[in-house]
Amino acid sequence: MYLSKSRRRLHCCRHLQEDNRRTMEKTHKPKKVFIEGPINPEFVAKSIASHQSKTGIGAHAIFLGQIRADQKEGGAVAGIDYTAYEEMAEQAFHDIREAAFTKFELTCMHIYHSLGVVPTGEISLFVFVSSPHRRAAFEASEYIVEEIKAKVPIFGKELVGETGQHVWKENR
Amino acid sequence: MYLSKSRRRLHCCRHLQEDNRRTMEKTHKPKKVFIEGPINPEFVAKSIASHQSKTGIGAHAIFLGQIRADQKEGGAVAGIDYTAYEEMAEQAFHDIREAAFTKFELTCMHIYHSLGVVPTGEISLFVFVSSPHRRAAFEASEYIVEEIKAKVPIFGKELVGETGQHVWKENR
Amino acid sequence: MSFQVKYFGMLAEIAGLSDEVWNAGGELTVGQFRAQVLDKYPAMRDKKFKIAVNRKISEDFVPIEIPAEVALLPPFAGG
Amino acid sequence: MSFQVKYFGMLAEIAGLSDEVWNAGGELTVGQFRAQVLDKYPAMRDKKFKIAVNRKISEDFVPIEIPAEVALLPPFAGG
């Protein structure tokens, strides 16, 4: 517990000061994960740029989930409308973060997920991990994405065609 | 060979027309990989944005190599000066691309590597793969990065401290 | 006893609401609550869902202790 | 026979040049060429390097057939 907290002081980049304050507390406040609507490529660029002052980092692994135009009975998927059990989801994201920091040698970790409508071709999930070495970055990236898919209560309504039909999405 | 070529028509996004033309040829021209100086986060954002019209993509995996300020005898690494046996390197990148397209179900693949000086904290390698499904994206990303480190004749002079000293880098 | 029930995704669609107060006669396990819900909303019978009690997915044998927030969670679709 | 030799990275530093024409008496294998290079540049003896012939890394037993571009490659450092 002590180790995890003292390592945490080094983790995060943009929230470094906040983390320093938090070392006195028993628990950490979850970080903001949800974003209304699609995740912008510009936002990804800004996240990358903000890590250039962290000169211990040697490898970044980024995963982006993009909405596919899958064919359904009523036509092609035009987008997904995401909802979540937000309080439980934030807790689940927090647990995934803590587990990943324990399992892998990570310098930074950021997770963002969309809520509301994300049109086909746009990005709904952005997982960004940074490490001194590539192996930890690769492994953490996969681990986090699989954990999100399996454990975070997010629900997706696939909007089909132009007639207002929909199909509920299910992760495999 | 035929299969590989017909799949290739679908691969690449920005070079789609070019690829269509190339289906008549026996060999494919290698794509441009080397970039003079650091790779800009803005360039990463533009690459992501240019894939939003490919609505069969469900997952992007991105790997970025960033220059670490490792401690050496003469001080901290201030940057790496990259050179390459360019003709052989382009061929090696081409072979890695072809092998990855054969091994994994990929929609797109882009590889960029810096030449010249890349200061500490900046990005020298950008590997970007896109697939309908996450598994192929993860696996291809790792495969390509490992292959680049092992097989592409790129050389790195780590610039140490402020006195003009240097150390030759070696991949592990 | 009574507690808060939350519905998500296709289950909210079936219930026609996303929140309601559940008034049970006596104490309930998660499994007993599940049976009551399926009685009230028969269209949920052929849907897969998990039940979370106070934001933790719970097995059928677990007793619901008030105050409780109980949620019906259809398959996850994040990513 | 003569052929082009290219030096990269720390080997170019040791040789003091990045390109030269190699004039060998007769035919050479890669291994024989390696021995000649180490004679000419003794400081390369404690360096690891591979030899590429016409952009393909080649074992010592391979004969160098002209026209050839032979390159001395120190450890790779891409990424």
Side-chain angles (χ1 to χ4, degrees):
Chain A
M1 196 61 193
Y2 175 74
L3 230 183
S4 153
K5 272 202 242 171
S6 68
R7 276 181 63 189
R8 193 176 171 89
R9 258 181 286 179
L10 298 165
H11 299 166
C12 184
C13 321
R14 300 184 308 155
H15 298 258
L16 197 60
Q17 276 196 309
E18 201 185 334
D19 277 335
N20 275 329
R21 271 190 279 114
R22 287 208 303 250
T23 52
M24 303 303 292
E25 302 168 23
K26 273 273 182 229
T27 56
H28 310 119
K29 254 194 279 179
K31 291 181 61 175
K32 193 177 152 15
V33 168
F34 287 118
I35 285 184
E36 196 58 35
I39 294 161
N40 202 310
E42 269 312 302
F43 180 77
V44 177
K46 275 183 203 145
S47 301
I48 296 166
S50 76
H51 289 74
Q52 302 199 321
S53 57
K54 301 283 282 184
T55 57
I57 293 173
H60 301 289
I62 292 174
F63 179 86
L64 303 171
Q66 182 169 301
I67 310 297
R68 279 198 315 270
D70 283 354
Q71 278 301 326
K72 303 284 169 176
E73 266 185 42
V77 171
I80 296 182
D81 187 0
Y82 284 105
T83 52
Y85 185 6
E86 289 190 49
E87 301 86 348
M88 184 175 158
E90 294 281 8
Q91 183 60 48
F93 279 122
H94 178 73
D95 294 347
I96 293 169
R97 272 180 65 83
E98 292 291 310
F101 271 124
T102 303
K103 278 181 198 290
F104 308 104
E105 187 198 355
L106 297 180
T107 315
C108 291
M109 180 188 332
H110 302 278
I111 303 173
Y112 300 97
H113 198 291
S114 296
L115 286 182
V117 173
V118 182
T120 292
E122 302 221 39
I123 290 160
S124 58
L125 172 62
F126 170 27
V127 173
F128 183 15
V129 291
S130 309
S131 169
H133 304 289
R134 63 188 183 278
R135 189 108 307 278
F138 282 131
E139 287 173 4
S141 170
E142 282 203 47
Y143 171 82
I144 293 165
V145 172
E146 296 301 332
E147 287 286 289
I148 291 171
K149 300 245 176 201
K151 295 193 180 161
V152 183
I154 295 172
F155 314 102
K157 189 162 76 171
E158 293 178 317
L159 310 171
V160 177
E162 288 157 15
T163 54
Q165 290 180 66
H166 66 260
V167 178
W168 289 96
K169 188 185 168 225
E170 179 169 350
N171 280 342
R172 280 173 300 173
Chain B
M1 197 61 193
Y2 175 73
L3 228 184
S4 154
K5 273 202 241 171
S6 68
R7 275 181 64 191
R8 194 178 171 88
R9 257 181 287 179
L10 297 166
H11 300 164
C12 184
C13 320
R14 298 184 309 155
H15 297 257
L16 197 59
Q17 276 196 309
E18 203 185 330
D19 277 334
N20 276 328
R21 272 190 279 114
R22 288 207 301 250
T23 52
M24 303 301 293
E25 300 167 27
K26 274 272 183 229
T27 55
H28 310 120
K29 256 192 281 181
K31 292 180 62 174
K32 193 178 155 12
V33 168
F34 287 118
I35 286 184
E36 196 58 36
I39 295 162
N40 202 310
E42 269 312 303
F43 180 77
V44 177
K46 275 181 202 147
S47 301
I48 296 166
S50 77
H51 289 72
Q52 301 199 320
S53 57
K54 301 283 281 184
T55 55
I57 294 173
H60 302 289
I62 293 173
F63 179 85
L64 303 171
Q66 182 168 301
I67 310 298
R68 280 198 313 270
D70 284 354
Q71 277 300 326
K72 304 282 168 178
E73 266 187 40
V77 171
I80 296 183
D81 187 359
Y82 285 106
T83 52
Y85 185 5
E86 289 192 49
E87 301 85 348
M88 184 175 160
E90 294 282 6
Q91 183 60 48
F93 279 124
H94 178 74
D95 294 346
I96 292 169
R97 271 179 66 81
E98 293 291 311
F101 271 124
T102 303
K103 278 181 198 290
F104 309 104
E105 187 197 355
L106 297 179
T107 314
C108 291
M109 180 189 331
H110 302 276
I111 303 173
Y112 301 97
H113 198 290
S114 296
L115 286 183
V117 174
V118 181
T120 291
E122 303 221 39
I123 290 160
S124 59
L125 172 61
F126 170 26
V127 173
F128 183 15
V129 291
S130 310
S131 169
H133 304 289
R134 64 189 183 276
R135 189 108 308 276
F138 282 130
E139 288 173 5
S141 171
E142 281 202 48
Y143 171 81
I144 293 165
V145 172
E146 296 301 334
E147 286 287 287
I148 291 171
K149 300 244 175 200
K151 296 194 179 162
V152 183
I154 296 172
F155 315 103
K157 188 161 77 170
E158 293 178 318
L159 311 171
V160 177
E162 288 157 15
T163 55
Q165 290 180 66
H166 65 259
V167 178
W168 289 96
K169 188 185 169 224
E170 178 171 351
N171 279 342
R172 280 171 301 173
Chain C
M1 69 184 277
S2 74
F3 48 85
Q4 197 67 29
V5 178
K6 293 165 95 73
Y7 303 95
F8 291 96
M10 70 175 73
L11 303 174
E13 204 170 69
I14 289 170
L17 44 79
S18 58
D19 272 284
E20 65 181 324
V21 174
W22 201 266
N23 292 302
E27 284 194 8
L28 284 186
T29 63
V30 169
Q32 289 164 332
F33 166 69
R34 179 190 296 273
Q36 292 189 359
V37 166
L38 295 181
D39 273 351
K40 182 165 181 184
Y41 303 109
M44 290 185 188
R45 283 180 203 278
D46 62 344
K47 302 298 177 196
K48 268 192 300 183
F49 62 89
K50 291 177 175 170
I51 294 176
V53 179
N54 295 327
R55 299 169 195 176
K56 202 170 164 325
I57 288 170
S58 298
E59 301 292 335
D60 278 1
F61 68 85
V62 173
I64 297 171
E65 290 172 7
I66 53 172
E69 179 179 281
V70 177
L72 270 65
L73 306 176
F76 299 167
Chain D
M1 70 184 275
S2 76
F3 48 84
Q4 196 69 29
V5 177
K6 292 167 95 72
Y7 303 94
F8 291 95
M10 69 176 71
L11 303 173
E13 204 170 70
I14 289 169
L17 44 79
S18 58
D19 270 286
E20 67 181 322
V21 174
W22 201 265
N23 293 304
E27 284 193 8
L28 284 185
T29 62
V30 169
Q32 289 165 334
F33 166 70
R34 180 190 298 272
Q36 292 189 0
V37 167
L38 296 181
D39 273 353
K40 181 163 183 186
Y41 303 110
M44 290 185 189
R45 283 179 204 279
D46 61 344
K47 303 299 178 195
K48 266 191 301 183
F49 62 89
K50 291 178 176 169
I51 294 176
V53 179
N54 295 328
R55 299 167 193 174
K56 202 170 163 328
I57 289 170
S58 297
E59 301 293 335
D60 276 0
F61 68 85
V62 173
I64 297 170
E65 291 172 6
I66 53 171
E69 180 179 283
V70 177
L72 269 66
L73 306 176
F76 300 167

